[in-house]
Amino acid sequence: MTATLDYDGDIAVLDLGDDENRFSPDFLDEVNAHLDTILAKGVHGLVTTADSKFYSNGLDLDWLGAHSDQGDWYVGRVQGLLARMLTLPIPTAAAVVGHAFGAGAMLAIAHDFRVMRDDRGFFCFPEVDIRIPFTPGMAALIQAKLTPQAAVASMTTGRRFGGGDAKAYGIVDATAAEGWVTTTATDLLRPLGGKDPGTLGAIKQGMFGPAVAALTAAQAG
C-alpha cells in the first residue's frame, strides 16, 4: 500500500502505508505530493500515522545499495522532507503506532508533537550500532528537538525506547493504547486550529533555522 490521505474534520491524516514504510524515492514523491495537497486545502493540522507494526523503518537501504552512485542525491531528498516537515506552516503530530527507526524516527521528531503506543513498538536511532554516523543535518534536527540528555541517550547508545521510556525522556508527548494513538494525536491538534499559516511558518523557520540550513545543505550539493 502506498501513502494515502484522509481527513478527520479539519485535520489531514496521512497514512504512510502498511509495510515498513521505508523512504524510497517513490515514497518521498508521494508524501511530498500529499503535503502539497494538504497545504492547498487549508487544513488546520496534519497527523501522520501508519497501518502497520511500523511507523517507518527509515532509509530504503535496498534501493540505496542498488543505486550507490545516487547516494548524495538520495540523502538530500530525505533531508529535504525532514526540513519541510520541521517547518510545515500548520500544527503537526506523528502517531507512532509501531516501530520508528532511523530516519523514520527522525520524521517523527520533525513533527511538532508525537504520540506513541504505550505497550508495543520502539523508537530508536540505531546509527551507532550499524556504523553509520549521523549527517550534520540529521544531528542538527534531533538536537533541535530533544534535550541534551535525551539526545545523548538516543543518539550515542542505539537504545530502543518503548512508549513509557520515550515519554519520560520527552521524546514523545503522550502515549496511548492500541487503536487510540492516531485519535490521541488528532485530539492534540484540534485546539490549535485556525493559526495563521504565514505566522506559524515564520515562527518555525526562526526556531529551527540552523537545523533547516544543515538539512538542506545536502540538496544544494
Side-chain angles (χ1 to χ4, degrees), residues 23 56-59 78 82 101-108 124-125 127 138:
F23 295 177
S56 172
N57 231 354
L59 299 183
V78 171
L82 297 176
F101 276 71
M106 294 174 205
L107 180 63
C124 177
F125 296 126
E127 281 75 6
M138 291 173 176

Side-chain angles (χ1 to χ4, degrees), residues 37-127:
T37 299
I38 288 163
L39 294 178
K41 193 175 178 66
V43 299
H44 288 177
L46 165 66
V47 170
T48 61
T49 185
D51 185 24
S52 172
K53 68 177 183 179
F54 295 94
Y55 172 78
S56 172
N57 231 354
L59 299 183
D60 189 337
L61 299 179
D62 288 341
W63 187 93
L64 192 56
H67 303 83
S68 56
D69 59 320
Q70 299 181 58
D72 289 345
W73 171 85
Y74 174 70
V75 171
R77 289 286 318 277
V78 171
Q79 294 194 165
L81 175 61
L82 297 176
R84 187 178 191 188
M85 187 63 72
L86 186 62
T87 56
L88 207 68
I90 55 175
T92 59
V96 185
V97 294
H99 301 307
F101 276 71
M106 294 174 205
L107 180 63
I109 284 288
H111 291 64
D112 298 329
F113 307 102
R114 284 153 296 288
V115 178
M116 194 168 169
R117 185 169 159 179
D118 59 13
D119 61 334
R120 293 189 68 182
F122 291 116
F123 182 103
C124 177
F125 296 126
E127 281 75 6

Side-chain angles (χ1 to χ4, degrees), residues 65-219:
H67 303 83
S68 56
D69 59 320
Q70 299 181 58
D72 289 345
W73 171 85
Y74 174 70
V75 171
R77 289 286 318 277
V78 171
Q79 294 194 165
L81 175 61
L82 297 176
R84 187 178 191 188
M85 187 63 72
L86 186 62
T87 56
L88 207 68
I90 55 175
T92 59
V96 185
V97 294
H99 301 307
F101 276 71
M106 294 174 205
L107 180 63
I109 284 288
H111 291 64
D112 298 329
F113 307 102
R114 284 153 296 288
V115 178
M116 194 168 169
R117 185 169 159 179
D118 59 13
D119 61 334
R120 293 189 68 182
F122 291 116
F123 182 103
C124 177
F125 296 126
E127 281 75 6
V128 70
D129 291 325
I130 59 177
R131 300 183 181 185
I132 300 178
F134 294 93
T135 67
M138 291 173 176
L141 164 66
I142 298 166
Q143 290 174 280
K145 297 303 293 282
L146 299 184
T147 66
Q149 293 86 352
V152 169
S154 59
M155 295 174 73
T156 69
T157 69
R159 176 174 172 178
R160 298 183 176 200
F161 292 84
D165 284 344
K167 187 173 186 300
Y169 272 87
I171 296 171
V172 301
D173 300 275
T175 60
E178 180 183 7
W180 290 95
V181 179
T182 303
T183 299
T184 302
T186 305
D187 288 345
L188 276 179
L189 299 187
R190 288 200 197 282
L192 305 177
K195 304 295 184 191
D196 175 67
T199 303
L200 183 57
I203 288 171
K204 290 186 182 183
Q205 287 283 352
M207 290 175 70
F208 305 122
V212 171
L215 285 165
T216 55
Q219 293 182 295

